Amino acid sequence: MATAHILVADDELGTRSLLDKFLTREGYAVVAVEDGEQALAQLNEHHFDLLITDLDMPKVDGLELLREIQRGSGATLCMVLTGHGSIKSAMEATRAGVFDYLTKPFELDFLRLQVQRALEYGKLQNENRSLRRQVHDKYKFANLVGDSPQMQRIYQIIGKVADSNATVLIEGESGTGKELLARAIHFNSARADHPLVPINCGAIPKDLLESELFGHVKGAFTGATTARAGRFELADGGTLFLDEIGEMSPDLQVKILRILQEQAFERVGGTTTQRVDVRIVAATNKELEREVAEGHFREDLFYRLNVVPITVPPLRARTGDIPLLIHHFLALQNDRRGTDLTLSDPAVEVLCGYPYPGNVRELENLVERLVVLAEGPVIGVGDLPAKVRDTPPHAGGLALTLPADGLILKDFLETLENQIIDQALERAGGVKSKAAKLLGLNRTTLVEKLRKRGILDETPATPSAG
Ligand SMILES: Nc1ncnc2c1ncn2[C@@H]1O[C@H](COP(=O)(O)OP(=O)(O)OP(=O)(O)O)[C@@H](O)[C@H]1O
Ligand SMILES: [Mg+2]
């Protein structure tokens, strides 16, 4: 650690020079002044890690000095050392943000310890601050790539709800970016300085999930040799990300419902009710509404979770995002590996025609693989995996040949359908009734298909022209 800078303010010459000598000998860079005014002048010009101040001083007294620091950047930790300690002054000093409050006479050994403790604490605080800033920057929307109308709608929703405490339910196929969205919500909220705690309800065995979520008391079950806090407690003040919520067992669903209603729970085996302030963001790659209809998921919990629903469309339903994502992931890989690879235009075109059953994650892995295996500076069509290369580039052109290693019919048909619908819409100048006619559909069916892709807000019941 670099030499810590300490400012000492005391009008009493004896104490002042004792502190000055002692702390200098301890290896700190010390400046000692005799009143609050001089202290402020010093703070104005230099950074100090720690201020040790008397309370009773001429010109500007200790409390005023502390308040002044608090109004400023607050980057200096403060410690009071006073000969006239009283409960009242201690309380006032605490309110003005002091880290420690010592009374004279004091032991030098004790002072040494307290100074070390304060500096250690300050260091941690700074580290946290800079870590948080990094994380924060990382999950600004800038990190979410995609400017398709569907993604823009999602950014709008996040922008609106991030800073509320509303529960958010994110639905989307695997690899569409649900976790990334959950992070964006947390780091754009007032809770950003508190933890974001993720838990994957599908990956933890049923009987362990409860104690993971709520913690347990000592002796709650065989193996519970110590008490342990659950994720809800760890997320206090922050956000709990309940991933794959559709996998949760019915009895745990009841407990989550109670937390959402009362913010109250007990540790497993415990009797004391605990309260936490946690915002819940849940995600699922199942259609939760259908799970409800089929009796696998509680209806009341579904409605509690579904306050703000966000549906992330599969990548094949927002093909406009593909080139952006390709370049984003290529730049990341180049950065990471110190390479400067590019993709040929035809290669990008072929990549854009592939339906990506694994969504953005599949695209990300694909780009990584291309970079790792690249043999020259430009990645061409020949470098693409066969399954990508052999997807007919424009299924809409009806050049239907089964690729060498087959295809996933469902995805293929969906891509085909989307492309044809988009063409019809374009030809009809966006007039849905006309586009529907071109496709031999009724308008309601077309609207429903667009809505499923997240292109449309319109509910089927809303009659409107066009
Ligand atoms: N819009 C996007 N911009 C940039 N990267 C993205 C985007 N969407 C997804 N990714 C990246 O794709 C990968 C998969 O995303 P993520 O884990 O958020 O998906 P998921 O929907 O939670 O998947 P699963 O259902 O399988 O858990 C991650 O590496 C993520 O960073
Ligand atoms: Mg996920």
Side-chain angles (χ1 to χ4, degrees):
M1 181 168 154
T3 311
H5 292 255
I6 302 181
L7 177 62
V8 172
D10 201 319
D11 57 333
E12 219 177 70
L13 179 61
T15 317
R16 194 168 68 237
S17 60
L18 173 66
L19 286 174
D20 191 353
K21 277 194 201 114
F22 175 70
L23 293 170
T24 306
R25 212 172 51 225
E26 290 289 303
Y28 301 115
V30 185
V31 174
V33 297
E34 57 183 60
D35 61 50
E37 201 175 79
Q38 289 181 25
L40 282 175
Q42 282 292 334
L43 285 161
N44 209 10
E45 300 284 326
H46 311 281
H47 167 76
F48 289 94
D49 301 288
L50 178 66
L51 163 77
I52 303 178
T53 183
D54 188 12
L55 282 183
D56 205 6
M57 288 185 301
K59 294 185 190 162
V60 175
D61 74 15
L63 272 179
E64 250 181 275
L65 176 59
L66 292 172
R67 292 199 188 104
E68 198 56 47
I69 290 174
Q70 212 179 22
R71 272 194 290 271
S73 74
T76 302
L77 269 180
C78 305
M79 208 157 135
V80 163
L81 186 57
T82 177
H84 315 277
S86 71
I87 291 183
K88 183 165 169 282
S89 68
M91 273 174 59
E92 271 172 329
T94 309
R95 234 177 274 133
V98 292
F99 173 77
D100 209 346
Y101 187 93
L102 309 180
T103 47
K104 298 174 193 170
F106 54 91
E107 296 277 338
L108 283 175
D109 279 343
F110 184 62
L111 181 77
R112 177 193 289 123
L113 268 180
Q114 296 308 91
V115 167
Q116 282 169 358
R117 200 169 69 97
L119 290 171
E120 195 56 36
Y121 174 83
K123 197 176 127 207
L124 277 177
Q125 225 181 13
N126 283 337
E127 279 172 7
N128 278 342
R129 222 178 273 141
S130 78
L131 266 179
R132 257 190 240 125
R133 210 172 303 125
Q134 277 173 27
V135 173
H136 199 271
D137 288 346
K138 192 160 170 225
Y139 289 105
K140 280 253 166 210
F141 289 12
N143 205 46
L144 278 165
V145 175
D147 68 355
S148 57
Q150 296 101 310
M151 285 309 285
Q152 298 205 14
R153 273 249 320 281
I154 290 177
Y155 302 150
Q156 269 174 14
I157 299 176
I158 293 182
K160 268 195 213 139
V161 305
D163 222 0
S164 72
N165 278 326
T167 303
V168 180
L169 178 62
I170 308 173
E171 278 187 10
E173 287 180 15
S174 181
T176 45
K178 297 185 295 295
E179 180 151 1
L180 208 58
L181 291 178
R183 290 182 181 278
I185 293 170
H186 174 76
F187 287 108
N188 283 285
S189 79
R191 297 171 173 268
D193 281 351
H194 295 275
L196 167 70
V197 177
I199 181 161
N200 187 332
C201 307
I204 297 174
K206 275 196 178 68
D207 40 341
L208 283 184
L209 185 57
E210 181 174 4
S211 82
E212 267 308 314
L213 283 168
F214 305 112
H216 58 74
V217 299
K218 188 176 166 179
F221 44 83
T222 336
T225 47
T226 52
R228 200 161 149 244
R231 308 271 171 116
F232 269 100
E233 280 170 77
L234 298 177
D236 200 9
T239 306
L240 186 72
F241 176 48
L242 290 173
D243 205 359
E244 292 190 38
I245 184 111
E247 303 298 323
M248 192 175 268
S249 67
D251 47 326
L252 275 181
Q253 289 178 30
V254 179
K255 295 193 174 167
I256 297 290
L257 184 65
R258 177 167 169 233
I259 287 228
L260 282 168
Q261 283 166 346
E262 307 165 26
Q263 300 261 321
F265 67 97
E266 287 92 32
R267 284 187 176 182
V268 175
T271 49
T272 358
T273 299
Q274 310 219 31
R275 281 179 202 283
V276 281
D277 167 26
V278 170
R279 192 234 195 121
I280 290 185
V281 176
T284 172
N285 50 27
K286 293 184 168 174
E287 252 180 75
L288 221 46
E289 207 159 356
R290 195 163 65 203
E291 296 292 304
V292 171
E294 288 172 1
H296 303 310
F297 201 83
R298 290 183 67 104
E299 191 174 10
D300 46 8
L301 178 57
F302 171 69
Y303 286 114
R304 276 276 169 184
L305 290 171
N306 203 36
V307 181
V308 179
I310 294 180
T311 305
V312 202
L315 190 54
R316 61 186 168 279
R318 44 180 166 112
T319 44
D321 289 341
I322 297 179
L324 291 176
L325 285 161
I326 292 174
H327 288 112
H328 169 68
F329 291 131
L330 184 63
L332 281 180
Q333 289 297 331
N334 273 333
D335 240 27
R336 192 170 300 159
R337 294 164 200 278
T339 49
D340 195 18
L341 298 170
T342 53
L343 276 156
S344 74
D345 289 346
V348 172
E349 206 167 297
V350 172
L351 282 170
C352 289
Y354 179 70
Y356 299 98
N359 293 297
V360 185
R361 181 179 295 114
E362 183 176 7
L363 174 59
E364 185 177 13
N365 293 341
L366 191 64
V367 172
E368 179 170 7
R369 185 168 130 192
L370 291 174
V371 169
V372 172
L373 298 178
E375 284 176 351
V378 180
I379 301 166
V381 175
D383 298 314
L384 304 180
K387 70 169 180 191
V388 175
R389 229 175 23 215
D390 294 346
T391 306
H394 287 289
L398 298 180
L400 301 181
T401 352
L402 180 67
D405 47 0
L407 49 69
I408 296 164
L409 186 61
K410 183 172 156 282
D411 293 334
F412 174 73
L413 292 177
E414 204 175 319
T415 314
L416 198 65
E417 180 176 317
N418 291 343
Q419 288 183 4
I420 286 289
I421 289 178
D422 290 347
Q423 282 187 38
L425 275 169
E426 203 172 317
R427 201 172 303 167
V431 182
K432 281 171 229 99
S433 49
K434 263 195 198 169
K437 212 166 177 187
L438 280 172
L439 298 166
L441 296 172
N442 63 38
R443 188 180 174 283
T444 328
T445 313
L446 177 64
V447 166
E448 182 53 29
K449 285 179 186 295
L450 294 175
R451 215 168 56 86
K452 272 214 182 103
R453 283 166 66 190
I455 293 180
L456 221 63
D457 247 340
E458 207 169 350
T459 52
T462 322
S464 78

